């Protein structure tokens, strides 16, 4: 198995890269999707979160009110630590299950906090998708409808670009078009990923 860590700041274009790597034949493990799965209705983590942060974080339809949970969790370091204690072991266990099921191919771990959590050390190659912060903010506001101030705050809370790039084996520059980004992914696949996998 060739393990590839894929990361980048919020709005960098990581999802586009992950989708292309999947098309090229890689198995993609999406950390954000796992984080959503473990708090779906009926999952033990959801009940634990409600016990810790209030029953009203579960909507009438039985789903997690993410915005309300976020307001309570990020209010203090101890609340954030409580959230992490509930969710991180389950995320890690589900991630391992997906790695075990992936077999011997090329496995891409799509993880926003790859560098922050020190998980880059577990990867054979690290791909970083990079774009200037102002461009990322414009994209988040225009394509995802994210509030600009909220996006800027969330980007500022992530590791800085220089630190992320310093950990990269391959930097994919997404300051141009989607087509230009895809071309870089294809080049990295042919020149770096396939040779490393053989």
């Amino acid at each position: 198995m060739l393990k590839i860590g894929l990361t980048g700041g919020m709005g960098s274009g990581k999802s586009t890269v992950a989708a292309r790597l999947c098309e090229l034949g890689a198995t993609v493990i999406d950390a954000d999707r796992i984080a959503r799965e473990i708090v779906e209705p009926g999952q033990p983590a959801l009940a634990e979160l409600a016990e810790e942060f209030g029953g009203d974080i579960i909507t009438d339809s039985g789903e997690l009110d993410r915005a309300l949970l976020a307001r309570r969790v990020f209010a203090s370091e101890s609340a954030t630590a409580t959230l992490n204690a509930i969710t991180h072991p389950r995320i890690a266990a589900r991630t391992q299950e997906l790695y075990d099921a992936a077999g011997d191919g090329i496995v891409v771990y799509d993880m926003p906090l790859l560098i922050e959590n020190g998980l880059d050390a577990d990867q054979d190659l690290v791909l970083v998708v990079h774009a200037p912060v102002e461009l990322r903010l414009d994209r988040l506001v225009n394509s995802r409808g994210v509030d600009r101030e909220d996006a800027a705050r969330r980007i500022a809370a992530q590791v800085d670009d220089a630190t992320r790039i310093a950990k990269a084996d391959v930097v994919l520059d997404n300051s141009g078009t989607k087509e230009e980004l895809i071309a870089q992914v294809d080049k990295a696949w042919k020149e770096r990923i396939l040779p490393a996998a053989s």
Side-chain angles (χ1 to χ4, degrees), residues 10-12 130-143 148 155 173-177:
M10 184 180 178
S12 62
H130 175 69
V133 171
E134 282 304 312
L135 180 56
R136 285 159 47 198
L137 285 169
D138 290 344
R139 287 176 179 158
L140 289 164
V141 171
N142 298 329
S143 66
R148 192 176 190 91
I155 285 173
D173 175 17
N174 190 20
S175 55
T177 66

Side-chain angles (χ1 to χ4, degrees), residues 7 115-116 120 128 158-168:
T7 195
I115 309 299
E116 289 90 327
D120 53 298
V128 171
Q158 294 182 323
V159 71
D160 64 272
D161 290 339
T163 302
R164 202 180 281 119
I165 288 169
K167 298 278 189 173

Side-chain angles (χ1 to χ4, degrees), residues 116-127:
E116 289 90 327
N117 292 347
L119 299 171
D120 53 298
D122 299 333
Q123 309 300 316
D124 298 307
L125 285 173
V126 173
L127 272 57

Side-chain angles (χ1 to χ4, degrees), residues 84-119:
N84 292 343
I86 292 169
T87 59
H88 284 190
R90 290 179 169 95
I91 291 169
R94 180 65 181 137
T95 301
Q96 190 57 54
E97 283 175 17
L98 293 171
Y99 269 117
D100 292 344
D104 287 335
I106 297 168
V107 181
V108 175
Y109 188 32
D110 178 354
M111 173 53 151
L113 302 178
L114 189 81
I115 309 299
E116 289 90 327
N117 292 347
L119 299 171

